[in-house]
Amino acid sequence: MNAAGVPAAASRREPTEVALAILLAALVIFAALVVVVPSVPPALVDDRLDIAISTMSALIALSVAWISWLRVREVGEQGSLFRAAAFLVLGVYNAITVIVGILDAEGAVGSSLAAPGQLPVIGGIVARAIAALLLIGAGVVGTRRLTGGLTARWLRFVLPAVGFLALMGIGLVIQPVLPQLISPDALARLAADPTAAVPASDNPALLLAQLVLAIAFLVATLLGYRLWRAERRVSDAWLVAGLAFAAFSQLHAGIHPGAYTSLVTTADFLRIGFYVALLLGMAAERRADVRALRAANLELLRLREVDATRAALEERGRLAREIHDGLSQDLWYAKLKQSRLTQLSSLTDEQAQLAREVTDAIDAALAEARQAVMAMRAASDDATLTDVLQRYVDDFGDRFGIRASLERDGEMAPLAPRAQAEVLRIVQEALNNVRKHADATVVRVRIGGTPDEVQVLVADNGRGFSPAESDLPGFGMESMRQRAELIGASLVVVAAPADGTRITLRVPAREIGRP
């Protein structure tokens, strides 16, 4: 809470809101300067700049209209449809202005400074009035879902622009009887000195119409701001800034009409701000769409990996059951028959030795089968790695008469199923090495972890070996290292003759909790 009892989070303003507030203050100050300071020219004559502004405005408005229409087709938002129709109207109006200049038809439509008429001013007011109403509608409906098919949406998209073209055609035919928003005297003074300010007293109807348009755009600005507060889309923030420019440009248009060829007014400069804001919003929306697409692709990849992992776990579970119910049972049966064979008194010494070797081979195969079943069940069941290792270490000690123990060093984060299976196989291989090569009486397994990694230690009191022999195939070191590399883990072996062996496995945090 602050001193006024308002939560601190509520009293802070976001950078976007601060920027919008600064923009509004700057627009108010600029309007006041144009009205109060006589030295600030309200207009200048520059045919190239005028055609450049009109061309840029047409291209940006039509581009925004098309992008908004694409959004309508993709997500079916009513607000996007209203905006698409509004910018299509503005794009058509600016395109007409460009075409008239290219065709040198200014005299026919009354847009020449030599003989200014009412149609250009009325056409601009009508186009912007339609756009303002549509933008207000966009702010009211927000992100509501559209109804009707694609044909109905297409008609609603183009109908306002078609209506505007029809009104312009009618206005072109009835030019002599159009309402006089600008008095004949004001038009004469405009033709004589286009850069001079036009007194408001000479054009009350024009000033009133532009004031109403300014209010309409301000309403659209407030509704757009509300939508931005709700949705937090960066393109909506740029649209709010653009609509603020548009609202104040209408006030400037009431001070000096700039609908005539080669005449560039302060209203036109503010409209540049409007269209630049639209352009930046369009670019920001494209970037946001690209980021969203990348995020969606990553999520799809993650889901694909999850599905692949689930399928692999199911297959491991199936193989574990088949080995347990099939191969293991057959091996037990073979061991039973072999045990009976070794008990025969008619066997020679050589045959008895061979029978014992076969029994040992069957025992080794049974041990491997049990290890495989345990590893695959560990990956497919919900048991933790520590629980599985505990069962395996206890079984190892019971079967081979080696004092084996498992120590837990703190809490360990759960490993991903694949990493868990590989760690178990590495520990199994290390214990097999102890049984086959170390002549050890004690073996200790310790498992623990930190926030950055999971650590597993296997240490024995056996005869050890020389470090130069650490890569001998008989010790299974290469197999353990390959398994460690598969999960991005590191394997460190420390050994010395008559001093036992220590194998340390470190699994990085990226393998913790990953599907």
Side-chain angles (χ1 to χ4, degrees):
M1 291 283 189
N2 57 18
V6 180
S11 64
R12 291 195 299 267
R13 294 295 180 184
E14 294 189 5
T16 301
E17 294 176 303
V18 174
L20 290 174
I22 293 174
L23 173 62
L24 287 174
L27 291 173
V28 170
I29 293 172
F30 181 50
L33 287 175
V34 173
V35 173
V36 176
V37 181
S39 60
V40 178
L44 59 89
V45 177
D46 190 324
D47 55 345
R48 292 185 178 180
L49 180 58
D50 181 52
I51 193 68
I53 292 174
S54 298
T55 303
M56 179 197 72
S57 301
L59 291 175
I60 294 177
L62 292 174
S63 298
V64 174
W66 181 248
I67 290 175
S68 299
W69 167 248
L70 292 178
R71 186 174 185 85
V72 171
R73 297 188 61 178
E74 292 170 2
V75 299
E77 287 182 359
Q78 290 191 43
S80 296
L81 180 57
F82 277 91
R83 279 191 291 272
F87 291 119
L88 182 60
V89 171
L90 293 177
V92 168
Y93 166 71
N94 286 293
I96 292 174
T97 303
V98 174
I99 293 171
V100 168
I102 293 174
L103 299 178
D104 290 330
E106 295 92 341
V109 298
S111 62
S112 172
L113 279 176
Q118 302 290 337
L119 182 59
V121 175
I122 293 176
I125 290 175
V126 171
R128 294 181 181 104
I130 295 173
L133 291 175
L134 289 170
L135 291 170
I136 290 174
V140 171
V141 300
T143 57
R144 296 177 191 171
R145 303 294 295 180
L146 278 165
T147 57
L150 184 60
T151 302
R153 298 176 186 181
W154 178 260
L155 288 175
R156 281 182 276 179
F157 171 48
V158 300
L159 192 59
V162 172
F164 169 70
L165 285 173
L167 291 175
M168 288 295 292
I170 296 172
L172 185 62
V173 174
I174 63 170
Q175 279 193 80
V177 296
L178 286 173
Q180 293 188 357
L181 295 182
I182 305 178
S183 65
D185 292 340
L187 288 176
R189 286 195 297 271
L190 182 65
D193 186 5
T195 61
V198 179
S201 57
D202 290 352
N203 306 291
L206 174 65
L207 185 59
L208 178 62
Q210 300 291 11
L211 182 59
V212 171
L213 277 180
I215 294 174
F217 275 109
L218 282 176
V219 172
T221 303
L222 293 175
L223 292 173
Y225 174 76
R226 186 183 67 176
L227 183 62
W228 170 78
R229 292 276 297 178
E231 299 292 329
R232 297 291 174 173
R233 291 193 304 211
V234 65
S235 58
D236 290 336
W238 282 110
L239 179 61
V240 171
L243 291 174
F245 275 108
F248 280 87
S249 72
Q250 298 308 130
L251 291 177
H252 287 252
I255 299 171
H256 195 294
Y260 302 103
T261 304
S262 302
L263 187 61
V264 180
T265 66
T266 53
D268 293 318
F269 285 112
L270 290 178
R271 288 191 186 103
I272 292 176
F274 169 60
Y275 287 109
V276 168
L278 291 180
L279 185 63
L280 294 174
M282 185 168 55
E285 185 171 3
R286 292 303 94 187
R287 288 195 299 270
D289 289 343
V290 169
R291 286 194 296 268
L293 181 60
R294 288 175 179 171
N297 287 335
L298 291 175
E299 181 65 14
L300 287 175
L301 288 174
R302 190 190 69 81
L303 291 175
R304 186 173 66 181
E305 291 178 357
V306 170
D307 289 340
T309 301
R310 184 181 297 111
L313 294 179
E314 292 175 355
E315 182 65 14
R316 287 175 180 175
R318 185 187 66 82
L319 290 174
R321 290 190 298 272
E322 290 186 359
I323 292 174
H324 180 270
D325 298 337
L327 179 61
S328 294
Q329 299 302 322
D330 291 341
L331 288 173
W332 276 111
Y333 182 75
K335 182 179 179 180
L336 178 63
K337 294 298 183 181
Q338 181 65 20
S339 297
R340 294 181 60 185
L341 180 61
T342 57
Q343 295 173 2
L344 295 176
S345 59
S346 59
L347 295 178
T348 64
D349 291 342
E350 182 179 358
Q351 290 171 337
Q353 178 62 29
L354 182 60
R356 285 191 293 271
E357 291 176 358
V358 172
T359 301
D360 292 341
I362 294 175
D363 286 338
L366 274 171
E368 289 293 332
R370 293 182 65 181
Q371 290 181 10
V373 169
M374 191 175 297
M376 285 186 285
R377 283 182 174 173
S380 57
D381 295 344
D382 294 331
T384 65
L385 176 61
T386 305
D387 294 336
V388 176
L389 283 176
Q390 184 68 65
R391 292 200 298 266
Y392 182 76
V393 169
D394 292 343
D395 180 74
F396 176 84
D398 292 340
R399 284 194 295 121
F400 301 111
I402 300 175
R403 193 169 64 186
S405 63
L406 175 70
E407 301 175 6
R408 308 186 188 195
D409 187 8
E411 294 295 328
M412 187 192 75
L415 285 174
R418 181 178 180 181
Q420 181 172 313
E422 298 298 342
V423 169
L424 180 58
R425 294 297 291 172
I426 291 171
V427 173
Q428 288 176 344
E429 185 64 35
L431 292 178
N432 282 336
N433 288 340
V434 172
R435 176 175 64 86
K436 295 176 181 179
H437 308 290
D439 293 333
T441 59
V442 177
V443 62
R444 179 169 52 92
V445 180
R446 187 176 67 192
I447 185 167
T450 68
D452 297 327
E453 64 181 13
V454 171
Q455 300 174 358
V456 182
L457 170 70
V458 180
D460 64 69
N461 65 344
R463 58 189 176 87
F465 57 88
S466 172
E469 299 175 341
S470 61
D471 290 330
L472 289 178
F475 280 73
M477 295 299 173
E478 185 61 29
S479 172
M480 288 191 288
R481 288 196 175 95
Q482 289 176 354
R483 291 184 180 278
E485 289 176 0
L486 288 176
I487 57 175
S490 64
L491 187 73
V492 178
V493 180
V494 178
D499 195 27
T501 303
R502 293 170 57 92
I503 298 176
T504 304
L505 177 69
R506 290 185 172 87
V507 185
R510 64 174 179 270
E511 292 292 340
I512 297 176
R514 193 176 67 180

